[in-house]
């Protein structure tokens, strides 16, 4: 993923302003360490920090149409760019970059071209013919984007908060599936799928239709000119991503460049559930597997960096982002620039354990819709920023537009968890890949119970975070929490600890408003807490909080932390990669 920054209509075309835009753009350099670019037209500035995945040699940005009257800065991947080029035979493209089509599509179709894009993206387009501009964000919000306004009437667009928080009077999250047009003076939704209204679908479940839709989503994400791999936790979602990738990698351009044997990556505390399951899946699929270990203290030491990069104080997101942040650094050190990951399946299929308590199919479906709509504030935020912190791109096939359309059109009765019929969470997805003749995964992995990433890396990780916060946040501090933090007041010491760090980096009121809040049980929305009266007394985002559902209880994993044992050893076992460097030391300490 790249980093974009745009300052539009600031009434200042001085050299000093250009220098300031460059300074702010450099705050995003971690997202795009390969090249920097800036375009200035009067008091319009478009800056770009590039992570080169497609056409590394000539795809530098900003990008232009033929006469350079239309300029665009883009963060994203356009998977159908070759098909779109064929729709415009009279246009001459300057580069082989997948994002090169955007300026030409605007020239050909005007503002209504955005829905033609199959991919993930955030972009700002400037039309110098009339000084109008257009900004847009992908359907689900896989790429991050923020919008701000200056006292001088300027509009700011940035991939991250840190690009605009010091120079805007007010800023907020740029909503997914929307575009901002200077001609119309505001935001409007361009993404309007059938599921968005939360109407209950009735399409019968078809295993082959669902399977093929997901395979297509993975295959299109094999578009790369750089080394890549898969994130493999050993759970259902990442294991299916790895299985489908390994099955279809041979014969692709990527395989010809980097070898047909897939590389997989996993992180966890020593002895954690994920490490064991991931190794078993890797052995089954024949991947070159890379296992990273970290200690609770390693993670605690990284918390400030994580909050700075992820730009949130949400407890669940920080818990899960920290191992991913540490792992991403090691992956990038090996020369890998892109990974495919499994985010989104739990939201689409009701995979979180609290879905066991859904009272009926209507509530089940509405909750999945609410969860998908909120993804940009949680798992998408984590997956994108935890990897982009080290110049690594994460691709998420479960959030493919077409796959979502197929999956969200299924009658939710099929998604309901029914123990008497042998249906556990995400049964429709598991069943779609339960192939006896050519198995995608071992049966016990295919039907492994859901583990949230922050739990699966090792239960003592969360317990250690709580113990650390207990040492740094006093009871008196909690008594005054509502006065110090009136918005999204922390209700736990762990939450208070994260909030203090966040406010130090992002003290503006606008910044605190970009983070979601409200009660949650095992990652539920506030609405779903109504499903079980006992949950209101046990509000914790960990999957283990779904008492009576999760197979592992809290008490089984507290002894080590209670005894002050926060460390686990770090080991090293790294097979050599084809076309990828090998790090000599694997200790995940900064």
């Amino acid at each position: 993923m790249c980093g974009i920054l745009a300052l539009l209509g600031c009434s200042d075309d001085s050299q000093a302003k250009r220098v300031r835009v460059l300074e702010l753009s450099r705050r995003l350099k971690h997202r795009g360490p390969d090249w920097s670019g800036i375009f200035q037209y009067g008091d319009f500035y478009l800056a770009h920090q590039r992570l080169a995945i497609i056409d590394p040699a000539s795809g530098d940005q900003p990008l232009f149409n033929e006469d350079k009257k239309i300029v665009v800065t883009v963060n994203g991947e356009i998977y159908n760019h070759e098909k779109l080029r064929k729709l415009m035979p009279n246009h001459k493209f300057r580069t082989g970059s997948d994002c090169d089509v955007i300026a030409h599509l605007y020239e050909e179709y005007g503002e209504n071209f955005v829905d033609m894009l199959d991919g993930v993206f955030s972009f700002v387009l400037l039309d110098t013919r009339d000084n109008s501009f257009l900004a847009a964000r992908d359907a689900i919000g896989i790429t991050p984007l923020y919008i701000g306004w200056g006292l001088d009437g300027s509009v700011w667009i940035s991939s991250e908060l840190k690009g605009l928080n010091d120079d805007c009077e007010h800023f907020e999250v740029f909503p997914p599936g929307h575009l901002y047009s200077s001609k119309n003076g505001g935001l409007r939704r361009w993404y309007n799928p059938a599921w968005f209204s939360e109407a209950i679908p009735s399409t019968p479940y078809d295993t082959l239709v669902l399977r093929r839709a997901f395979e297509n989503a993975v295959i299109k994400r094999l578009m790369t000119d750089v080394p890549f791999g898969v994130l493999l936790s050993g759970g259902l979602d990442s294991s299916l991503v790895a299985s489908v990738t390994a099955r279809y990698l041979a014969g692709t351009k990527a395989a010809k460049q980097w070898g047909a044997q897939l590389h997989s990556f996993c992180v966890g505390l020593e002895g954690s559930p994920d490490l064991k399951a991931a190794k078993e899946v890797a052995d089954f699929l024949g991947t070159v597997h890379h296992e990273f270990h970290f200690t609770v203290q390693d993670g605690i030491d990284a918390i400030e960096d994580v909050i700075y990069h992820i730009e949130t104080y949400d407890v669940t997101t920080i818990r899960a982002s920290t191992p991913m942040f540490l792992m991403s650094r090691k992956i990038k050190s090996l020369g890998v620039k892109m990974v495919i990951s499994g985010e989104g399946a739990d939201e689409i299929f009701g995979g979180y354990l609290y879905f066991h308590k859904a009272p009926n199919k209507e509530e089940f479906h509405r909750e999945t819709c609410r969860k998908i709509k909120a993804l940009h504030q949680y798992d998408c935020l984590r997956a994108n920023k935890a990897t982009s912190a080290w110049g690594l791109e994460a691709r998420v096939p479960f959030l493919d537009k077409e796959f979502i359309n197929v999956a969200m059109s299924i009658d939710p009765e099929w998604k309901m968890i029914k123990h008497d019929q042998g249906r556990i969470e995400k049964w429709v997805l598991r069943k779609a890949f339960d192939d006896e003749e050519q198995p995608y995964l071992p049966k016990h992995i295919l039907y492994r119970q859901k583990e949230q990433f922050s739990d699966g890396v090792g239960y003592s990780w969360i317990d250690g975070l709580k113990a650390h916060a207990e040492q740094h946040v006093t009871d008196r501090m909690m008594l005054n929490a509502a006065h110090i933090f009136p918005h999204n007041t922390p209700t736990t010491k762990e939450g208070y600890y994260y909030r203090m760090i966040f406010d130090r980096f992002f003290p503006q009121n606008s910044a605190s408003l970009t983070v979601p809040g409200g009660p949650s049980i095992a990652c539920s929305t506030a609405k779903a807490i109504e499903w079980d009266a006992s949950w209101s007394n046990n509000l914790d985002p960990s999957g283990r909080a779904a008492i009576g559902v999760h197979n592992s209880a809290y008490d089984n994993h507290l002894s080590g932390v209670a005894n002050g044992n926060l460390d686990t050893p770090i080991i090293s076992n790294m097979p050599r990669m084809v076309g990828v460097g090998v790090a000599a030391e694997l200790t995940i300490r900064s």
Side-chain angles (χ1 to χ4, degrees):
M1 289 297 171
C2 305
I4 65 172
L5 177 71
L7 170 53
L8 306 156
C10 63
S11 302
D12 184 354
D13 60 358
S14 66
Q15 177 64 19
K17 180 61 73 172
R18 182 184 177 98
V19 169
R20 178 58 176 166
V21 171
L22 285 168
E23 178 185 346
L24 294 172
S25 180
R26 280 194 291 272
R27 296 183 182 180
L28 309 178
K29 188 176 287 186
H30 53 275
R31 297 186 60 87
D34 296 334
W35 194 253
S36 302
I38 187 171
F39 174 83
Q40 178 183 358
Y41 183 79
D43 58 0
F44 294 88
Y45 301 82
L46 272 63
H48 190 265
Q49 302 288 343
R50 188 185 186 205
L51 178 66
I53 303 293
I54 302 297
D55 187 22
S58 67
D60 295 336
Q61 295 193 37
L63 296 163
F64 305 87
N65 69 334
E66 291 91 338
D67 61 9
K68 294 192 173 185
K69 295 293 180 63
I70 300 169
V71 194
V72 64
T73 180
V74 192
N75 168 35
E77 300 289 340
I78 310 302
Y79 301 121
N80 64 336
H81 72 102
E82 292 182 351
K83 177 181 177 181
L84 293 172
R85 287 171 188 260
K86 293 176 182 177
L87 295 177
M88 300 177 286
N90 297 326
H91 287 252
K92 294 182 180 179
F93 297 91
R94 296 175 178 273
T95 77
S97 168
D98 52 296
C99 295
D100 205 357
V101 297
I102 292 177
H104 299 273
L105 286 169
Y106 172 81
E107 188 177 22
E108 192 75 21
Y109 299 99
E111 293 183 354
N112 295 322
F113 77 89
V114 180
D115 198 28
M116 300 171 67
L117 300 174
D118 181 8
V120 298
F121 53 83
S122 296
F123 68 80
V124 179
L125 181 149
L126 174 65
D127 187 342
T128 64
R129 297 171 300 185
D130 58 6
N131 284 357
S132 64
F133 62 86
L134 178 72
R137 189 179 184 188
D138 65 70
I140 304 300
I142 296 164
T143 60
L145 198 65
Y146 299 86
I147 183 170
W149 294 268
L151 286 173
D152 58 359
S154 58
V155 176
W156 295 69
I157 308 287
S158 176
S159 293
E160 296 187 359
L161 279 179
K162 56 185 69 68
L164 49 68
N165 64 310
D166 288 337
D167 288 64
C168 293
E169 185 67 16
H170 174 74
F171 50 89
E172 58 193 48
V173 174
F174 193 109
H178 281 71
L179 63 83
Y180 182 97
S181 170
S182 64
K183 293 178 181 178
N184 300 323
L187 290 158
R188 67 177 173 88
R189 171 167 287 281
W190 66 262
Y191 178 58
N192 295 288
W195 64 266
F196 206 84
S197 68
E198 301 184 12
I200 311 303
S202 58
T203 303
Y205 169 53
D206 187 319
T207 57
L208 294 181
V209 170
L210 187 64
R211 181 196 294 184
R212 191 57 192 162
F214 182 65
E215 289 178 330
N216 287 337
V218 172
I219 290 168
K220 71 176 68 170
R221 282 160 179 79
L222 299 181
M223 178 185 81
T224 178
D225 292 330
V226 299
F228 80 103
V230 294
L231 302 186
L232 179 59
S233 71
L236 174 68
D237 309 337
S238 67
S239 296
L240 284 178
V241 168
S243 178
V244 174
T245 302
R247 184 167 292 206
Y248 289 98
L249 179 58
T252 65
K253 179 183 176 184
K256 293 176 182 177
Q257 285 184 291
W258 309 109
Q261 190 173 18
L262 182 64
H263 291 262
S264 57
F265 306 94
C266 184
V267 67
L269 304 179
E270 189 170 13
S272 67
D274 281 0
L275 292 179
K276 179 181 178 182
K279 180 67 165 61
E280 187 172 0
V281 174
D283 289 344
F284 178 82
L285 298 176
T287 69
V288 180
H289 191 56
H290 309 268
E291 185 177 286
F292 304 127
H293 292 202
F294 75 104
T295 68
V296 173
Q297 189 60 54
D298 290 329
I300 289 171
D301 291 343
I303 288 294
E304 292 206 7
D305 283 343
V306 168
I307 292 174
Y308 174 75
H309 280 286
I310 310 302
E311 302 179 323
T312 188
Y313 49 82
D314 175 69
V315 170
T316 313
T317 306
I318 293 169
R319 287 175 176 179
S321 294
T322 305
M324 196 171 195
F325 176 85
L326 295 172
M327 176 172 57
S328 296
R329 186 176 192 181
K330 300 309 300 181
I331 293 172
K332 185 59 184 292
S333 74
L334 297 171
V336 173
K337 296 178 72 174
M338 185 272 282
V339 289
I340 308 178
S341 190
E343 281 75 14
D346 290 316
E347 288 73 16
I348 295 169
F349 296 103
Y352 293 106
L353 298 184
Y354 71 90
F355 275 94
H356 282 246
K357 299 295 185 74
N360 52 58
K361 73 174 187 178
E362 291 81 11
E363 274 301 301
F364 189 106
H365 180 72
R366 293 188 188 107
E367 176 70 0
T368 61
C369 293
R370 290 189 291 264
K371 290 292 292 180
I372 296 171
K373 291 175 184 177
L375 263 171
H376 69 285
Q377 297 177 301
Y378 297 102
D379 283 18
C380 287
L381 188 82
R382 166 183 57 79
N384 185 281
K385 291 184 179 178
T387 53
S388 292
W390 303 107
L392 181 69
E393 176 175 304
R395 295 181 179 175
V396 284
F398 280 111
L399 297 179
D400 180 81
K401 271 199 308 182
E402 286 304 311
F403 179 74
I404 292 176
N405 287 342
V406 170
M408 292 302 289
S409 68
I410 298 171
D411 186 333
E413 184 68 28
W414 288 97
K415 297 181 182 179
M416 290 283 285
I417 298 158
K418 297 184 177 182
H419 296 289
D420 59 334
Q421 298 180 28
R423 295 188 194 176
I424 63 173
E425 66 275 357
K426 292 186 287 194
W427 178 84
V428 293
L429 181 61
R430 300 175 196 270
K431 185 65 175 176
F433 287 91
D434 193 348
D435 189 323
E436 296 287 350
E437 295 183 1
Q438 294 181 303
Y440 285 79
L441 294 169
K443 282 274 191 182
H444 63 283
I445 295 291
L446 192 61
Y447 291 94
R448 181 190 180 200
Q449 186 181 56
K450 163 68 183 171
E451 290 278 11
Q452 287 166 214
F453 183 56
S454 52
D455 286 334
V457 297
Y459 293 121
S460 59
W461 166 234
I462 291 176
D463 301 330
L465 286 172
K466 290 180 177 180
H468 180 75
E470 184 73 32
Q471 296 171 3
H472 290 82
V473 178
T474 66
D475 293 341
R476 179 173 295 182
M477 292 163 74
M478 290 302 298
L479 284 174
N480 295 322
H483 300 289
I484 304 299
F485 305 115
H487 175 72
N488 284 345
T489 303
T491 58
T492 66
K493 290 185 177 181
E494 185 185 4
Y496 194 107
Y497 179 68
Y498 299 154
R499 187 65 176 273
M500 287 192 300
I501 298 171
F502 178 89
D503 276 28
R504 181 152 38 88
F505 290 129
F506 309 104
Q508 301 86 349
N509 185 56
S510 290
S512 66
L513 295 176
T514 65
V515 181
S520 176
I521 180 77
C523 283
S524 74
T525 66
K527 178 68 176 175
I529 293 174
E530 300 172 6
W531 294 352
D532 189 316
S534 67
W535 285 349
S536 60
N537 298 318
N538 186 43
L539 297 177
D540 190 299
S542 168
R544 288 177 293 157
I547 296 172
V549 176
H550 197 283
N551 293 332
S552 300
Y554 272 112
D555 294 343
N556 296 339
H557 305 279
L558 288 174
S559 58
V561 175
N563 294 328
N565 181 20
L566 294 180
D567 288 326
T568 57
I570 300 170
I571 66 169
S572 169
N573 181 21
M574 297 291 295
R576 184 165 297 278
M577 303 175 72
V578 178
V580 179
V582 176
E585 176 56 52
L586 298 184
T587 301
I588 308 181
R589 289 197 176 98
S590 302

